């Protein structure tokens, strides 16, 4: 962006400044017949702009990705939005995430809200905002199955009520003939960890009370918890918590995690290394989402990218290391030739400043074996073009080792975040593929 702005500022005043020497003369000449020199410089400028745009939009992508140019455009638009919001932040006009969420919300309004055949109610569960989707089709006296859904967006973006998630949840409610509860948890930067976790836990616990399930005609033995990305993080963490609470009488039948975020411990898993700069979630952006979730200092980001927050001399971290040892938890086809990154000495102040980095409510992958053992049957959707692929694959492996039935649904040609992109102009085949596969699994297993 910088060179582009710089060039405009330099050229415009020269051309149009009324007090510039010879300006009137030039305008007269231009009206008579455009001098070839101007045409030529316009052509050069245009070519330069095109080259810059192409340079900005173009990204090397794995050959397996479907619709690469559309993905690059989506990513470029997202980067322009992010950088504009960073500028807003830099100028002190507001937090960049609040600005970005405003833009996303405005764009989301363009999505048609398709909700035929579903009754939508905005209400509160124990003080937490939720949107409930109930199929209109007559189920008779039959009890329905149900999905508690938690939307993604880095704990900071999107909304249960926005078009993207409204469409997803409506379609789920209708095609599964299920009651879907979409939780409108409070977001970063106004609220930080553990508020998001607590909001989801509180609303979920309330919904799972026998009398509340009965009010929505839900079969208590057929309830799932699910979410995508940061919502998958909250779903996994709340599922762990719910399985451990003695006073919870209704248990989840399933959990379904869509490219979930599961740990801020190792930012050099093979998928983090492989997808360091691929759309739509580069590693550095993910590290900053984590820092924002914890209200941590951005100055730590560069050290965290090289795992200096969990270097080998961090005794607090060492207790967790084997829980995400990918040299052993990942199959070799995903490990490829990547090498672990673990320096002998690191930056102790990061964990001291942000102890939540090692809190299982933020990092469900760090939980103990005993907790994995009591998790429900699990579906995990992963994309090859995603820094978070290995978070999910390691979670799946640890569940499997603990004796839990796990389905891994891996998409070689899909990218992080794709499942909500089903509406023009962001209608990606990756969106339909992943959404259909996810709903099909729920339909067969819930
Ligand atoms: C379970 O319920 C009892 C009685 O209401 C209460 O004293 C106890 O603190 C609850 N335990 C948890 C873990 O919430
Ligand atoms: C990370 O730690 C290594 C080893 O102590 C050090 O050489 C390097 O400069 C550190 N890098 C960052 C970005 O903190
Ligand atoms: C996206 O929508 C446009 C316009 O409706 C359509 O032409 C195109 O085929 C769609 N693409 C996909 C992948 O569904």
């Amino acid at each position: 962006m910088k060179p582009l702005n710089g060039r405009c500022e330099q050229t415009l005043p020269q051309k149009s400044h009324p007090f510039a020497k010879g300006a009137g003369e030039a305008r007269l000449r231009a009206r008579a017949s455009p001098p070839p020199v101007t045409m030529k410089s316009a052509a050069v400028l245009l070519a330069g702009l095109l080259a810059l745009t192409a340079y900005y939009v173009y990204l090397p992508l794995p050959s397996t990705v479907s619709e690469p140019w559309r993905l690059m455009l989506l990513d470029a638009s997202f980067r322009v939005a992010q950088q504009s919001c960073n500028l807003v932040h830099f100028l002190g006009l507001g937090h960049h995430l609040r600005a970005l969420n405003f833009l996303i919300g405005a764009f989301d309004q363009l999505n048609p809200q398709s909700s035929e055949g579903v009754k939508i109610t905005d209400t509160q569960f124990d003080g937490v905002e939720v949107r409930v989707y109930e199929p209109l089709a007559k189920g008779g006296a039959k009890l329905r199955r149900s999905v508690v859904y938690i939307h993604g967006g880095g704990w900071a973006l999107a909304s249960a009520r926005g078009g993207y998630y409204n469409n997803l949840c409506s379609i789920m409610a209708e095609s599964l003939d299920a009651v879907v509860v979409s939780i409108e948890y409070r977001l970063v930067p106004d609220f930080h960890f553990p508020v998001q976790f607590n909001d989801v836990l509180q609303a979920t616990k309330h919904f799972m009370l026998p009398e509340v399930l009965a009010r929505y005609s839900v079969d208590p033995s057929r309830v799932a918890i699910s979410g995508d990305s940061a919502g998958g993080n909250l779903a996994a963490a709340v599922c762990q918590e719910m399985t451990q609470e003695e006073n919870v009488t209704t248990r989840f039948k399933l959990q379904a995690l869509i490219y979930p975020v599961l740990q801020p411990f190792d930012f050099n898993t093979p998928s983090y290394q492989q997808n360091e700069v691929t759309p739509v979630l580069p590693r550095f952006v993910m590290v900053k989402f984590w820092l924002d979730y914890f209200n941590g200092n951005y100055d730590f980001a560069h050290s965290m990218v090289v795992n200096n927050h969990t270097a080998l001399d961090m005794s607090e971290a060492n207790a967790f290391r084997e829980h995400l040892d990918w040299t052993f938890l990942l199959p070799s086809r995903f490990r490829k030739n990547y090498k672990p990154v673990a320096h002998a000495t690191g930056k102790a102040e990061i964990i001291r400043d942000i102890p939540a980095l090692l809190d299982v409510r933020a990092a469900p992958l760090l939980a103990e074996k005993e907790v994995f053992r009591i998790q429900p049957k699990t579906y995990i959707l992963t994309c090859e073009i995603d820094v978070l692929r290995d978070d999910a694959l390691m979670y799946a492996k640890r569940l499997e080792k603990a004796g839990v039935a796990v389905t891994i649904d891996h998409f070689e040609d899909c990218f992080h975040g794709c499942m909500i992109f089903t509406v023009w102009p962001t209608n990606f085949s990756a969106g339909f593929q992943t959404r259909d596969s996810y709903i099909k699994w729920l339909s067969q297993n819930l």
Side-chain angles (χ1 to χ4, degrees):
M1 291 303 285
K2 273 243 176 68
L4 232 147
N5 288 340
R7 187 171 304 183
C8 288
E9 277 158 26
Q10 279 164 14
T11 45
L12 278 176
Q14 277 176 14
K15 272 193 182 160
S16 58
H17 199 286
F19 303 114
K21 203 174 149 210
E25 204 181 308
R27 239 175 307 168
L28 271 177
R29 251 195 283 127
R31 224 175 291 148
S33 74
V37 173
T38 312
M39 289 255 301
K40 205 167 162 190
S41 45
V44 169
L45 186 64
L46 186 65
L49 278 176
L50 281 175
L52 260 176
T53 310
Y55 176 77
Y56 192 78
V57 171
Y58 180 77
L59 275 173
L61 281 170
S63 57
T64 48
V65 69
S66 56
E67 306 175 273
W69 278 102
R70 295 191 68 212
L71 179 54
M72 282 183 221
L73 276 176
L74 174 73
D75 184 65
S77 321
F78 199 50
R79 274 184 290 143
V80 168
Q82 280 176 314
Q83 284 167 12
S84 314
C85 294
N86 289 347
L87 183 66
V88 166
H89 192 108
F90 177 75
L91 295 175
L93 300 173
H95 196 284
H96 67 103
L97 287 172
R98 205 176 287 120
L100 188 59
N101 206 20
F102 176 81
L103 283 181
I104 289 176
F107 184 75
D108 208 0
Q109 296 301 319
L110 303 176
N111 277 322
Q113 301 232 345
S114 66
S115 50
E116 274 172 61
V118 180
K119 180 181 140 200
I120 295 177
T121 318
D122 288 325
T123 180
Q124 292 193 342
F125 282 173
D126 196 12
V128 179
E129 307 268 332
V130 296
R131 177 166 271 204
V132 184
Y133 301 78
E134 293 169 272
L136 288 173
K138 290 208 171 53
K142 165 171 102 37
L143 292 178
R144 288 198 157 99
R145 42 194 186 175
S146 177
V147 181
V148 173
Y149 196 85
I150 305 139
H151 74 78
W155 306 282
L157 307 172
S159 155
R161 300 192 188 102
Y164 280 117
Y165 286 101
N166 192 72
N167 286 340
L168 174 65
C169 291
S170 299
I171 287 166
M172 283 169 67
E174 206 175 354
S175 53
L176 295 168
D177 190 28
V179 175
V180 176
V181 173
S182 186
I183 303 179
E184 193 75 296
Y185 55 94
R186 289 169 293 171
L187 300 175
V188 172
D190 296 311
F191 299 93
H192 302 275
F193 174 82
V195 168
Q196 287 76 2
F197 170 85
N198 284 333
D199 278 0
V200 173
L201 180 64
Q202 216 166 300
T204 304
K205 267 183 163 172
H206 178 85
F207 179 62
M208 296 294 265
L209 291 173
E211 62 271 26
V212 179
L213 292 176
R215 199 191 314 146
Y216 288 100
S217 301
V218 167
D219 181 347
S221 66
R222 300 177 79 189
V223 185
I225 186 163
S226 184
D228 61 300
S229 193
N233 166 277
L234 293 166
V238 165
C239 191
Q240 287 189 0
E241 180 65 29
M242 294 281 285
T243 52
Q244 293 176 84
E245 288 214 6
E246 47 194 77
N247 289 359
V248 171
T249 49
T250 330
R251 302 287 173 196
F252 288 119
K253 182 177 186 188
L254 312 166
Q255 65 177 335
L257 311 175
I258 313 302
Y259 33 74
V261 194
L262 296 167
Q263 56 89 20
F265 189 106
D266 183 357
F267 292 112
N268 290 276
T269 61
S271 60
Y272 263 113
Q273 296 191 45
Q274 172 184 302
N275 298 295
E276 187 189 341
V277 293
T278 57
V280 294
L281 184 66
R283 172 165 65 181
F284 199 69
V285 173
M286 189 61 236
V287 171
K288 280 182 67 184
F289 273 128
W290 273 114
L291 280 170
D292 278 310
Y293 189 30
F294 298 134
N295 201 16
N297 188 340
Y298 285 162
D299 293 346
F300 293 154
H302 288 283
S303 298
M304 288 166 69
V305 159
V306 293
N307 287 351
N308 276 8
H309 60 309
T310 52
L312 297 170
D313 63 334
M314 305 293 150
S315 53
E316 308 94 312
N318 284 335
F320 298 98
R321 210 170 291 283
E322 67 168 326
H323 293 343
L324 71 175
D325 178 0
W326 53 260
T327 60
F328 156 75
L329 291 168
L330 286 185
S332 63
R333 77 179 171 103
F334 292 115
R335 278 201 317 267
K336 298 177 186 159
N337 289 321
Y338 292 105
K339 298 281 177 291
V341 172
H343 291 293
T345 54
K347 247 190 148 89
E349 68 201 82
I350 302 180
I351 294 281
R352 226 181 295 131
D353 235 54
I354 319 177
L357 281 162
L358 300 175
D359 190 320
V360 292
R361 295 172 303 166
L365 184 59
L366 301 183
E368 296 301 321
K369 201 189 298 156
E370 292 65 36
V371 177
F372 277 85
R373 215 173 272 148
I374 53 175
Q375 296 314 296
K377 185 171 175 179
T378 302
Y379 169 89
I380 296 192
L381 188 148
T382 53
C383 297
E384 183 62 22
I385 303 148
D386 183 1
V387 289
L388 301 171
R389 181 199 69 190
D390 298 341
D391 282 27
L393 291 175
M394 286 191 277
Y395 204 69
K397 178 52 98 183
R398 290 199 60 206
L399 284 167
E400 238 169 51
K401 282 160 59 79
V404 176
V406 181
T407 300
I408 298 174
D409 203 3
H410 181 65
F411 290 83
E412 198 62 36
D413 57 345
C414 295
F415 57 94
H416 184 82
C418 64
M419 197 175 84
I420 57 167
F421 293 128
T422 53
V423 182
W424 192 87
T426 52
N427 56 334
F428 283 81
S429 64
F432 295 101
Q433 259 188 79
T434 48
R435 190 183 73 189
D436 291 350
S437 190
Y438 161 64
I439 292 181
K440 183 173 169 209
W441 188 86
L442 280 177
S443 174
Q444 291 170 347
N445 291 276
L446 184 56

